[in-house]
């Protein structure tokens, strides 16, 4: 999964965590190609590793 296509867009990411399935909606600041997304939501930066991502949906504004 190439994550570069989401940079500069607002997305909803569904991902796996040790406590279960989580989702975040925020602005993608950067990506490390196929490694991780850096997502800003509610003033907090969240880094989601690629291997945890279940789906990514672009939010149109």
């Amino acid at each position: 999964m190439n994550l570069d296509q989401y940079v500069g867009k607002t997305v909803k990411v569904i991902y796996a965590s040790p406590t279960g399935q989580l989702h975040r909606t925020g602005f993608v600041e950067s990506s490390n190609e196929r490694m991780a997304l850096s997502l800003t939501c509610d003033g907090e930066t969240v880094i989601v590793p690629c291997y945890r991502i279940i789906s990514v949906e672009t939010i149109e504004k």
Side-chain angles (χ1 to χ4, degrees):
M1 175 186 302
N2 187 348
L3 302 173
D4 287 343
Q5 64 184 323
Y6 300 110
V7 174
K9 298 179 181 175
T10 300
V11 299
K12 177 179 179 181
V13 180
I14 298 174
Y15 61 99
S17 79
T19 58
Q21 186 172 304
L22 300 174
H23 65 86
R24 294 283 189 133
T25 300
F27 184 77
V28 180
E29 294 288 338
S30 64
S31 81
N32 187 3
E33 290 183 12
R34 293 176 170 83
M35 301 303 287
L37 277 181
S38 178
L39 186 69
T40 301
C41 22
D42 301 324
E44 175 185 11
T45 299
V46 178
I47 297 174
V48 182
C50 181
Y51 65 89
R52 292 193 183 269
I53 295 174
I54 297 168
S55 69
V56 181
E57 176 185 337
T58 303
I59 306 296
E60 299 295 329
K61 290 204 171 195

